[in-house]
Amino acid sequence: MVMLTRLPVQWGRRMYSASTSGAVPAAKKKYVPTSGTYPRGFQVSGTVVGVKPGNTTKPDLAFITSDRPCAAAAVFTKNKFQAAPVTFSRSLLQQKNNAGLQGVLINSGCANAVTGKGGLEDAEAMATKADKSLGADKATIVMSTDQPMTHWLTRIRLPIKKILDNVSVAHGKLGTSHDHWLTCATAICTTDTFPKLISKSFSLPSSPSVEYRIAGMTKGAGMIHPNMATLLGVIATDAPIASSLMPGLLKHAVDKSFNSITIDGDTSTNDTVALLANGAAGGKEVSSASSEDYRAFQTVLSEFSTDLAKLIVRDGEGATKFVTINVTESSSEQGARKIASTIARSPLVKTALYGKDANWGRILCATGYSLISEPGASTENEITEIIPEKTNVSFVPSDGSPELKLLVDGEPEMVDETRAAQILEHEDLEILVRLGTGKEKATYWTCDYSHEYITINGDYRT
């Protein structure tokens, strides 16, 4: 259970957030690493700026830097109302042709969204100040985040002077240790109850003796749904990757990870995931999309991104369960994704899971309406994708015991309610839907809806 603290009234509204003491709930401590293997050539820091007037202890300015120019790429929200940092950073990456990046500067506490021309000027000022500290030119992208939609609704500008005055402080705090990375990851958190940071080593076929490293941090707890969500992410590696390959690699990884999670079905305005590769570890550059190295790195990046994205679901606002939705035997991957997404977003499914109720009818109902077309659209896939007489639904326990079959070829099973209740006591659960109409599949990760989720989101501004 996510433990929340009621904060004092600020700007005329009540707000909820993770504990202001910074304490990680006991149930979440297992997700916070105590050590890491971090990529060469990168330094990071987290600095207390006080973007929110009441914050005097939590780091809220994150600085990620490379000692040399990086190949880079980023994936942004598809929401039509995009925050100033999104607009600025996308434009900069286009200007630079995904090359020559050396820094990422991120503030939490204010989203800088729907702030007009002034917001763009603030985003550019942040990047310029960071560039100056690095001795670079047009080499820094920026991100901003806050509790989902709180500041977006009120169009609050960044306290830009406070941020700019602390960029040099953030630069002075840069380091390479695990504590530096963990503090940096903490600085991008908002309603998160724990910092989300992972790292690992890997190798590539052409340079088997070279140890490459990859590290990533992300934030998000509510307003999570493709494309993308109220989330930020930065992934850094010391592998040598050609800048022209970076966008394709990142898009593939994000589609399999950050675009396959949902907490509440809402897509926000600031979402950004960036990938930086500085080549500091040496070895042969990955320069062709048809090479073995490319395929190997694509697998590493996709699996790594998935592990990061899962941490967001595990920290869903008010969540008590981590749920994997697997839809298999589909005639198309697109159809399987749509069905998995619909089940993952269903309030009736999510509340049943919170109540530990094996209500498979809700899962079947969500499956059945997932592909209903809008008026005037083609209905062909509705017929070929889902055939009730071929559909199977099961709970797959997290303890490795046999699946609990709920529906077999369209016929309901006599469900052992005692065993079902035992399965639903676990924190982790898999819902498996076999359509029996093809060989394609898709996976989504989601969580349940609790009373606490309603409290958090119903009391934002009242």
Side-chain angles (χ1 to χ4, degrees):
M1 175 69 68
V2 176
M3 300 303 296
L4 298 164
T5 299
R6 181 74 164 271
L7 300 183
V9 175
Q10 296 184 29
W11 300 296
R13 63 185 176 275
R14 293 170 290 169
M15 297 189 299
Y16 289 81
S17 184
S19 170
T20 54
S21 69
V24 176
K28 306 292 184 180
K29 287 182 179 179
K30 59 188 175 184
Y31 303 120
V32 181
T34 56
S35 63
T37 304
Y38 299 105
R40 302 165 186 85
F42 286 96
Q43 295 189 76
V44 302
S45 68
T47 302
V48 181
V49 170
V51 174
K52 281 187 183 294
N55 176 42
T56 59
T57 58
K58 176 192 172 297
D60 53 1
L61 186 67
F63 202 8
I64 300 98
T65 71
S66 171
D67 64 6
R68 66 200 71 191
C70 299
V75 175
F76 302 96
T77 179
K78 291 186 178 180
N79 193 308
K80 293 297 183 182
F81 294 94
Q82 297 181 349
V86 170
T87 301
F88 172 82
S89 298
R90 178 190 286 112
S91 176
L92 182 62
L93 284 167
Q94 291 172 346
Q95 292 174 35
K96 303 279 287 187
N97 291 317
N98 298 104
L101 209 70
Q102 282 191 252
V104 182
L105 186 66
I106 308 170
N107 76 272
S108 61
C110 180
N112 192 12
V114 194
T115 45
K117 182 180 179 182
L120 284 170
E121 292 172 350
D122 290 344
E124 184 175 3
M126 286 175 61
T128 300
K129 190 74 172 181
D131 286 342
K132 185 176 180 180
S133 72
L134 295 172
D137 180 49
K138 294 186 181 301
T140 303
I141 62 171
V142 296
M143 305 179 195
S144 298
T145 186
D146 192 15
Q147 290 173 277
M149 303 301 284
T150 300
H151 281 279
W152 180 79
L153 285 167
T154 47
R155 306 179 299 283
I156 291 178
R157 290 280 297 276
L158 289 171
I160 191 62
K161 185 179 186 304
K162 190 183 291 187
I163 293 173
L164 297 181
D165 288 348
N166 279 279
V167 171
S168 60
V169 177
H171 184 266
K173 290 185 173 182
L174 290 170
T176 61
S177 72
H178 172 69
D179 285 345
H180 283 95
W181 280 87
L182 194 61
T183 303
C184 187
T186 300
I188 68 175
C189 293
T190 53
T191 56
D192 308 65
T193 66
F194 66 92
K196 299 164 181 63
L197 171 71
I198 58 175
S199 62
K200 66 176 293 185
S201 300
F202 64 96
S203 62
L204 295 174
S206 69
S207 307
S209 62
V210 178
E211 179 198 54
Y212 294 111
R213 300 174 182 178
I214 187 169
M217 63 188 73
T218 190
K219 62 84 52 182
M223 205 173 187
I224 302 294
H225 189 68
N227 289 294
M228 293 169 1
T230 304
L231 65 87
L232 300 181
V234 179
I235 300 171
T237 181
D238 54 17
I241 313 294
S243 58
S244 61
L245 301 181
M246 295 286 279
L249 284 164
L250 183 59
K251 183 181 184 304
H252 180 272
V254 166
D255 284 346
K256 298 292 184 182
S257 57
F258 294 103
N259 277 342
S260 293
I261 62 174
T262 185
I263 287 175
D264 45 26
D266 279 309
T267 298
S268 187
T269 57
N270 290 59
D271 326 328
T272 304
V273 173
L275 171 66
L276 290 78
N278 67 6
K284 183 180 178 181
E285 182 182 61
V286 181
S287 57
S288 170
S290 62
S291 68
E292 287 187 48
D293 281 354
Y294 181 92
R295 290 188 290 272
F297 182 72
Q298 184 180 67
T299 298
V300 168
L301 181 61
S302 296
E303 292 177 352
F304 186 84
S305 298
T306 297
D307 289 341
L308 266 180
K310 286 180 178 179
L311 291 178
I312 293 175
V313 177
R314 290 195 179 279
D315 201 20
E317 291 176 339
T320 68
K321 295 196 181 303
F322 177 87
V323 186
T324 301
I325 312 290
N326 275 319
V327 177
T328 66
E329 299 177 14
S330 174
S331 60
S332 72
E333 182 181 356
Q334 180 182 7
R337 281 184 62 84
K338 184 69 180 295
I339 295 166
S341 171
T342 303
I343 297 169
R345 283 181 289 121
S346 167
L348 291 180
V349 171
K350 293 161 80 70
T351 51
L353 294 173
Y354 172 67
K356 302 173 185 177
D357 177 10
N359 194 331
W360 59 266
R362 294 183 178 184
I363 300 169
L364 198 64
C365 179
T367 301
Y369 69 69
S370 60
L371 300 180
I372 294 176
S373 302
E374 293 296 318
S378 170
T379 60
E380 180 180 355
N381 67 336
E382 295 176 28
I383 300 171
T384 60
E385 202 78 48
I386 300 172
I387 299 174
E389 294 78 11
K390 294 184 177 183
T391 303
N392 294 261
V393 178
S394 298
F395 283 155
V396 181
S398 59
D399 60 6
S401 60
E403 68 184 86
L404 177 63
K405 296 181 179 180
L406 308 172
L407 188 79
V408 176
D409 294 333
E411 293 291 333
E413 293 286 285
M414 290 295 294
V415 176
D416 182 341
E417 295 290 347
T418 299
R419 181 159 183 257
Q422 291 171 345
I423 292 171
L424 290 170
E425 283 289 335
H426 296 158
E427 178 183 348
D428 287 24
L429 171 70
E430 177 187 340
I431 294 174
L432 175 61
V433 178
R434 299 184 183 92
L435 297 176
T437 57
K439 297 181 179 180
E440 301 299 325
K441 60 184 179 179
T443 300
Y444 253 70
W445 295 278
T446 191
C447 58
D448 56 346
Y449 272 161
S450 69
H451 299 290
E452 204 160 15
Y453 177 85
I454 304 301
T455 300
I456 297 166
N457 290 282
D459 245 353
Y460 257 148
R461 285 165 44 88
T462 54

